[in-house]
Amino acid sequence: MIVLLPPSETKAAGGTGEPLTTAGLGYPGLAVARSRALAALDRLVAEGQDVSTPAKARAAADNAAVRTSATMPAIERYTGVLFDALDAASLAPDARAWLDSHVVVQSALLGFLRASDRIPVYKVSEHTKLPGERMRELWSGAGSVIEGFALDLRSKAYASLAPVAGAVPVEIVSPDGKALNHWNKAGKGALVRSLAAARVVADSADALVAWAASSDVPLERTDAGLRLTVQDPRLVAAR
């Protein structure tokens, strides 16, 4: 089973790893697309980026240093609601190992990344205009590197950017059946944490639902994929 996660706009600073080497990243089939994306980012930096606010100036500096700055595992680099709920740093070693084997984060700059892939801070999203490249052309075929049963927790934007054939999407809803917006990220993070803690092995959506039923996790099949019910505002799995 592969669990597909979206990236986040916010990222942890720093790191202790050596600078980025694309040869060390998972999914080597994406090497050409990654090289094109990084070359386009180099052009963006050379042309000059918007530094009109402190935040934009920091983002510009991060992009300028993307090839030389320190790295850290992707699952630690990304922050925000989903990754805070997942809280990979607090997992037991065997649960963390499960993340490294099963979780994949989709980056607009580097494509699909294993949780353990070491990456720098960068500021590139699916909306970034990279000189000489189009995001959809860069990543439209990237989904072919994902094999086997894939649980898709990505946003619609990222799922559209790099479609993965057969990936099973998960809808996050409140106990009264209403779709959640911002808070659905916390539900996704909590689900992945539960999967990691249990070191779930599942080769299909039905197998995953069977595990959920035995573990009191409110995950069920729908015509479109799967549905997870979470409490709002407590943002924990409904019991």
Side-chain angles (χ1 to χ4, degrees):
M1 176 173 67
I2 294 296
V3 180
L4 299 173
L5 297 182
S8 63
E9 289 292 316
T10 56
K11 299 173 183 69
T16 59
E18 294 296 317
L20 177 68
T21 57
T22 56
L25 299 177
Y27 301 111
L30 301 180
V32 172
R34 287 167 174 158
S35 293
R36 286 172 54 187
L38 286 166
L41 182 60
D42 289 341
R43 293 192 292 272
L44 179 64
V45 170
E47 291 176 2
Q49 302 172 81
D50 185 355
V51 294
S52 59
T53 68
K56 290 179 178 179
R58 286 194 299 271
D62 289 338
N63 284 342
V66 76
R67 294 182 185 270
T68 58
S69 59
T71 58
M72 69 172 63
I75 202 67
E76 298 173 15
R77 178 67 74 189
Y78 295 109
T79 61
V81 176
L82 189 158
F83 294 93
D84 290 348
L86 171 54
D87 194 12
S90 70
L91 287 170
D94 54 357
R96 175 57 184 267
W98 187 95
L99 286 183
D100 293 343
S101 297
H102 295 275
V103 169
V104 172
V105 185
Q106 182 185 348
S107 162
L109 179 64
L110 298 168
F112 290 110
L113 298 165
R114 299 172 305 190
S116 58
D117 282 339
R118 292 182 174 272
I119 61 171
V121 180
Y122 65 91
K123 188 67 172 180
V124 175
S125 74
E126 79 276 19
H127 300 300
T128 301
K129 297 185 183 301
L130 293 175
E133 297 287 357
R134 293 184 178 181
M135 284 290 178
R136 288 189 180 276
E137 292 179 1
L138 272 175
W139 304 118
S140 61
S144 63
V145 303
I146 305 299
E147 299 178 346
F149 168 51
L151 185 68
D152 199 345
L153 300 181
R154 296 176 295 169
S155 63
K156 290 182 179 179
Y158 275 92
S160 175
L161 186 64
V164 174
V168 178
V170 179
E171 178 188 17
I172 311 295
V173 300
S174 62
D176 59 2
K178 294 182 179 179
L180 299 176
N181 294 317
H182 174 72
W183 298 116
N184 83 82
K185 297 178 182 179
K188 291 177 179 179
L191 174 62
V192 179
R193 185 177 178 86
S194 295
L195 293 170
R199 303 186 302 285
V200 173
V201 176
D203 59 5
S204 68
D206 287 338
L208 187 59
V209 169
W211 163 80
S214 67
S215 302
D216 198 24
V217 174
L219 187 70
E220 59 185 345
R221 287 300 304 263
T222 69
D223 291 340
L226 296 172
R227 177 186 294 123
L228 176 69
T229 301
V230 300
Q231 295 284 7
D232 184 21
R234 289 189 297 149
L235 307 176
V236 295
R239 298 297 183 182

